[in-house]
Amino acid sequence: MPYCRMCGSGTVIAYLPYAKMSLCQKCFLEFYVRRVKNTVEEFKMFREDDVVGVAVSGGKDSSALIHSLSKAFPKLELKALHINLGIPEYSDHCESRVRLLVKSLDIELYVFDVKKRLGFTIEDFMKTRFKRKICSICGTIKRHIFEEMALEANVRVLATGHNLDDIASVMLNTFFNGNWSQLTRIKPLLPPLAENMAYKVKPLIRSPEKENLLYCLYGELPIRSLGCPHASQTGIRKYMQLLERFSEEDPGFKYIILNRFLELIPMIENVFPKPELTRCRLCNFPSTNEICSYCKRILLVKQKDASA
Ligand code: AMP
Ligand code: FES
Ligand code: ZN
């Protein structure tokens, strides 16, 4: 019978195969928080006197993120940022979970209601040529809104819940597709796109997806129980499955991928210099084009509305 590696108790709840380590509930929660703290310090993501905005979706990753940050850095000022995307049933459910969580942590919450603020919802893209790419549209829209919310909430740093599996699968995808420019997006610490904008950080870059879920379950955090109806099983999912298969052979495989790519990124950035940024003519945010991809998508959905 396994015993907890940390305290020796016999009530083990988690086995971490890459470290050949069994842990009891209390030691697992402590181990998880310590790893988040170490990751923040390793990549110098922020200082304890910063104000950090955390993008909280209601899912397991970002819920585990904001909770563990509040435990790892008790003096840090955290603000929760949530986007209500207007997806029927799903979005209100997510928002209600986020409200419960931040209330229990006594953290200020900022909600950006897409329908109220922009006059459309993510659902409206179903009427456009992007109807099979809702997830990727949603990603573009959210990235822009995060920047706006960071300005409104006056935070210098914006943390998201991207986990080890997300990052390692994007890295594999990049390798197989040669889409090197997207590698910069998944760096653990991204400098601001322009003055006054926020640093982006990913404190869960070393936290496997399964452990984020375990943290939420054993920490009894309120997380969403509904899945997004637009979640697609293609694209990046293929690489996640590949990662799982390799991990069965070598439980440390995701960490190997992550570490090798972290070494490679500076070299890749040297070979592929950053694209020149100008300002979007419509929203004035930094962009590689005259009109940024966010504004292009919004124009499209508004045109469809007008022609309906
Ligand atoms: P995703 O792109 O859905 O995998 O989400 C990546 C990260 O973005 C999450 O871990 C959250 O930190 C953040 N995020 C995603 N959706 C939302 C949302 N609706 N509101 C706030 N943050 C979100
Ligand atoms: Fe954006 Fe599902 S949450 S499409
Ligand atoms: Zn724009």
Side-chain angles (χ1 to χ4, degrees):
M1 188 173 122
Y3 289 94
C4 171
R5 167 92 71 87
M6 303 283 177
C7 73
S9 99
T11 46
V12 159
I13 56 106
Y15 175 68
L16 317 186
Y18 51 86
K20 294 195 176 71
M21 181 160 75
S22 300
L23 292 173
C24 72
Q25 179 166 336
K26 178 172 160 287
C27 292
F28 170 74
L29 295 174
E30 283 172 10
F31 165 84
Y32 184 96
V33 171
R34 208 164 39 246
R35 183 173 50 201
V36 170
K37 189 169 198 286
N38 290 343
T39 308
V40 167
E41 289 169 353
E42 176 188 353
F43 295 101
K44 298 188 172 51
M45 292 181 175
F46 49 77
R47 300 185 310 262
E48 210 154 347
D49 59 354
D50 273 323
V51 184
V52 175
V54 185
V56 192
S57 66
K60 61 184 182 337
D61 302 307
S62 50
S63 302
L65 171 65
I66 195 163
H67 189 277
S68 58
L69 283 177
S70 74
K71 300 294 162 212
F73 302 99
K75 290 198 211 112
L76 181 69
E77 189 182 344
L78 290 167
K79 293 184 179 182
L81 314 179
H82 176 71
I83 306 174
N84 184 316
L85 297 154
I87 300 169
E89 205 181 340
Y90 173 74
S91 291
D92 287 345
H93 169 69
C94 291
E95 185 181 326
S96 72
R97 305 277 89 190
V98 172
R99 284 192 184 279
L100 272 180
L101 177 62
V102 297
K103 191 162 178 238
S104 72
L105 296 171
D106 199 17
I107 291 173
E108 190 180 359
L109 172 66
Y110 291 72
V111 175
F112 188 108
D113 188 313
V114 172
K115 176 79 186 162
K116 284 190 197 139
R117 295 274 298 261
L118 304 175
F120 65 84
T121 71
I122 290 298
E123 291 299 296
D124 292 323
F125 283 97
M126 291 301 282
K127 295 180 256 166
T128 71
R129 67 187 151 90
F130 289 114
K131 73 171 178 220
R132 290 188 207 290
K133 292 191 172 173
I134 297 284
C135 264
S136 107
I137 293 284
C138 182
T140 306
I141 306 267
K142 283 191 294 199
R143 272 193 296 280
H144 181 100
I145 295 176
F146 288 150
E147 299 282 6
E148 277 192 29
M149 292 189 87
L151 287 171
E152 283 172 14
N154 203 13
V155 296
R156 197 186 70 91
V157 182
L158 175 74
T160 52
H162 293 95
N163 61 46
L164 172 66
D165 301 59
D166 294 328
I167 301 292
S169 47
V170 174
M171 286 173 166
L172 269 191
N173 183 4
T174 305
F175 182 75
F176 287 117
N177 295 335
N179 186 4
W180 302 108
S181 63
Q182 78 170 5
L183 256 196
T184 24
R185 246 206 238 147
I186 52 171
K187 277 165 67 172
L189 169 75
L190 277 176
L193 287 174
E195 221 184 314
N196 300 331
M197 293 180 94
Y199 282 83
K200 289 320 157 352
V201 299
K202 301 178 183 67
L204 300 189
I205 195 167
R206 295 206 187 282
S207 302
E209 189 169 41
K210 279 185 195 149
E211 290 177 35
N212 297 341
L213 180 61
L214 274 188
Y215 184 85
C216 292
L217 294 178
Y218 287 107
E220 295 181 10
L221 312 191
I223 54 170
R224 65 174 162 84
S225 52
L226 295 177
C228 172
H230 302 299
S232 73
Q233 292 304 311
T234 52
I236 219 75
R237 281 273 144 206
K238 190 171 81 187
Y239 295 101
M240 287 210 166
Q241 284 159 3
L242 203 64
L243 276 177
E244 287 312 317
R245 243 179 281 153
F246 278 116
S247 299
E248 279 165 23
E249 291 289 315
D250 178 352
F253 186 71
K254 293 171 196 168
Y255 286 104
I256 295 175
I257 292 269
L258 175 72
N259 292 335
R260 289 298 83 76
F261 267 92
L262 286 177
E263 288 161 10
L264 263 181
I265 286 176
M267 297 177 228
I268 293 171
E269 281 182 326
N270 263 339
V271 180
F272 300 94
K274 280 194 213 127
E276 290 278 317
L277 288 183
T278 68
R279 292 276 178 172
C280 168
R281 195 151 55 76
L282 300 178
C283 69
N284 203 34
F285 270 39
S287 165
T288 43
N289 294 307
E290 200 187 338
I291 298 184
C292 74
S293 42
Y294 168 79
C295 288
K296 275 187 199 149
R297 300 284 176 286
I298 290 202
L299 281 177
L300 184 80
V301 88
K302 295 219 156 146
Q303 271 163 11
K304 281 281 163 194
D305 257 7
S307 66

